[in-house]
């Protein structure tokens, strides 16, 4: 018998659109958000090719909070998207647990960094007396999770996870463990990544994932919030289950180690599945050799050459710590639609990589579980198994 958690609420905003529906339709249509842009301010202003968040974010109150001006951009984004996820789970109209039974877990690599640099810059240039009192508390990695907790009136544990590109997947693993151990009845699992002005700029975008020409990845922005509950709780309150997560694994190793293989096999084993049971793989490939090569080798070894594989990051840019939850949300939508979206930017297969089932066009899918694989060039890997509700009978 496997451990499973239910995803009952889901909200996303990305560079392709303000909302999961808009992002999905743009991805299915082969659109890309990669474009020349500028970001940041002052000496930390960045410029180059990137995929920035859509400007038409919905004006959703952050769980009825009115004090929004003091929030950092990341806190405001996560609070807004969190409100949509809470509403999507139906918890705004009933079934919400006591505040002490709601937890928050955030995955990120750079949330708060831009504001932290601005605080330092203002403090040096103008003196500490002219630095806004709200800037300091907002300029920390845990500020975003704390603000989401306050906005959601969640009084359970608050955790911020930083694990490179696997941060979002690690956050989901932490949240799932809290649900399964009874530490929380509902957990808001969030991931946010905004552009880092101190990062090296990309003057020319490369080709898409797994493509022969390569060229490297461009940075991208994304915000995702999920609502996790136990399957029993979701059934008891009559909630719609968007997807079931019966297996997950996070593996740390050195660059060059076969961490991706280990993560994929461990997630399948925890879900009680074999590779032959998987009908779709969502890869975190970006067009960067440090990510694409180990994922292609791992998927060829574990899944073989015929299972449909897609990556959204040719269109969305490298979403860094938000990558895993972006993949999860889009994979859940793919399972619902019965379609694997095209891998944007994919041109000619890199002959140096083993063959896997990546295609430049949308593909029909069987009703079967999916594998989400996320890797980091530093050697980390995370894998999640997603089961559609109809296959698991959870709804």
């Amino acid at each position: 018998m496997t451990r499973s958690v239910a995803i009952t609420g889901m909200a996303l905003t990305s560079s392709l659109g303000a909302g999961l529906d808009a992002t999905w339709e743009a991805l299915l249509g082969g659109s890309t958000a990669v474009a020349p842009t500028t970001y940041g301010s002052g000496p930390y202003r960045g410029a180059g090719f990137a995929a920035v968040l859509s400007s038409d974010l919905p004006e959703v109150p952050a769980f009825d909070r009115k004090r929004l001006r003091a929030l950092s951009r990341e806190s405001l984004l996560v609070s807004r998207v969190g409100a949509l996820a809470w509403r999507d789970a139906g918890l705004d109209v009933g079934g919400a647990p006591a505040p002490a039974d709601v937890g928050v877990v955030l995955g990120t690599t750079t949330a708060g960094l831009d504001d932290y640099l601005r605080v330092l810059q203002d403090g040096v240039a103008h003196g500490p007396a002219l630095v806004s009192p709200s800037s300091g508390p907002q300029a920390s990695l845990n500020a975003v999770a704390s603000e989401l907790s306050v906005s959601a009136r969640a009084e359970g544990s608050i955790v911020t996870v930083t694990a490179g590109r696997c941060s979002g997947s690690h956050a989901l693993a932490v949240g799932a463990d809290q649900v399964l151990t009874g530490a929380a009845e509902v957990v808001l699992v969030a991931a946010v990544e905004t552009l880092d002005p101190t990062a090296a700029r990309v003057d020319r975008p490369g080709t898409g994932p797994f493509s022969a020409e390569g060229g490297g990845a461009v940075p991208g922005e994304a915000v995702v919030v999920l609502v996790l509950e136990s399957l029993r709780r979701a059934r008891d309150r009559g909630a719609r289950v968007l997807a079931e997560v019966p297996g997950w694994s996070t593996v740390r190793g050195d660059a060059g180690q076969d961490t991706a293989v280990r993560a994929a096999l461990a997630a399948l084993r925890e879900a009680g599945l074999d590779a032959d049971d998987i009908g779709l793989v969502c890869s975190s490939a970006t067009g960067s050799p440090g990510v694409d090569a180990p994922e292609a080798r791992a998927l060829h070894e574990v899944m073989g050459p015929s299972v449909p594989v897609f990556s959204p990051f040719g269109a969305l840019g490298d979403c860094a710590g938000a990558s895993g939850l972006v993949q999860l949300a889009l994979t859940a939508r793919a399972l619902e639609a019965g379609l694997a979206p095209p891998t944007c930017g994919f041109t000619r297969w890199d002959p140096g990589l083993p063959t896997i089932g990546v295609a430049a066009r949308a593909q029909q899918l069987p009703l079967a579980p999916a594998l989400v694989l996320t890797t980091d060039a530093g050697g980390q890997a995370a894998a999640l198994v997603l089961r559609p509700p109809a296959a698991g009978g959870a709804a």
Side-chain angles (χ1 to χ4, degrees):
M1 184 173 182
T2 62
R3 305 191 305 162
S4 281
V5 291
I7 300 173
T8 56
M10 186 183 302
L12 172 151
T13 187
S14 76
S15 53
L16 280 179
L20 181 56
D21 290 342
T23 299
W24 171 254
E25 292 299 330
L27 192 68
L28 202 60
S31 299
T32 180
V34 175
T37 187
T38 58
Y39 45 90
S41 61
Y44 301 104
R45 188 173 180 82
F49 279 85
V52 300
L53 282 176
S54 170
S55 60
D56 59 341
L57 292 174
E59 290 295 331
V60 177
F63 294 88
D64 298 323
R65 276 190 88 195
K66 297 180 180 179
R67 189 188 64 82
L68 299 179
R69 291 185 178 180
L71 299 185
S72 68
R73 180 174 182 240
E74 290 84 359
S75 292
L76 179 57
L77 287 168
V78 171
S79 292
R80 282 180 170 174
V81 176
L84 293 174
W86 190 266
R87 179 183 300 173
D88 190 51
L91 294 170
D92 58 327
V93 295
D101 293 321
V102 181
V104 171
V105 186
L106 174 80
T108 186
T109 61
T110 60
L113 178 60
D114 195 3
D115 290 298
Y116 179 68
L117 294 173
R118 191 172 293 115
V119 169
L120 292 180
Q121 174 192 337
D122 292 345
V124 171
H126 308 297
L130 296 182
V131 175
S132 169
S134 66
S135 298
Q138 282 294 313
S140 69
L141 287 173
N142 205 45
V144 178
S146 298
E147 288 294 343
L148 177 58
S149 178
V150 173
S151 299
R153 299 182 177 90
E155 298 178 3
S157 65
I158 305 169
V159 180
T160 297
V161 178
T162 301
R165 297 184 78 239
C166 299
S167 297
S169 300
H170 275 259
L172 184 133
V174 172
D177 283 340
Q178 290 185 358
V179 168
L180 292 174
T181 60
E185 289 190 30
V186 170
V187 177
L188 290 164
V189 178
V192 59
E193 210 63 58
T194 55
L195 294 184
D196 175 7
T198 67
R201 70 182 185 181
V202 177
D203 295 317
R204 181 182 64 85
T207 55
F210 303 116
S211 296
E213 292 79 5
V218 301
E221 297 186 315
V223 183
V224 189
V225 182
L226 310 176
V227 177
L228 292 188
E229 304 178 59
S230 69
L231 288 168
R232 175 176 294 180
R233 188 180 195 282
R235 280 195 291 261
D236 287 348
R237 72 180 185 90
R240 175 190 54 159
V241 176
L242 302 175
E244 177 188 340
V245 187
W248 54 90
S249 173
T250 57
V251 177
R252 298 182 182 221
D254 296 326
Q257 287 188 343
D258 224 353
T259 53
V261 172
R262 291 162 52 200
L265 291 175
L268 289 171
R269 185 168 56 251
E270 183 173 349
L273 299 174
D274 296 321
D276 292 342
D277 298 317
I278 299 298
L280 172 67
V281 174
C282 182
S283 162
S284 73
T286 63
S288 173
V291 173
D292 292 21
E295 290 206 14
R297 288 194 295 267
L299 293 177
H300 180 83
E301 178 177 338
V302 175
M303 309 302 305
S306 59
V307 176
V309 177
F310 84 96
S311 169
F313 299 117
L316 297 173
D318 185 351
C319 297
S323 296
L325 293 196
V326 169
Q327 292 173 258
L328 186 153
L330 293 172
T331 301
R333 180 53 59 90
L335 293 179
E336 179 186 1
L339 283 174
T343 295
C344 179
F346 173 68
T347 54
R348 183 171 60 90
W349 183 258
D350 185 343
L353 300 178
T355 304
I356 56 176
V358 178
R361 297 182 180 178
Q363 304 176 67
Q364 293 287 334
L365 295 176
L367 185 63
L371 177 74
V372 175
L373 179 63
T374 310
T375 62
D376 187 284
Q380 298 194 85
L384 310 168
V385 174
L386 229 61
R387 198 197 308 268

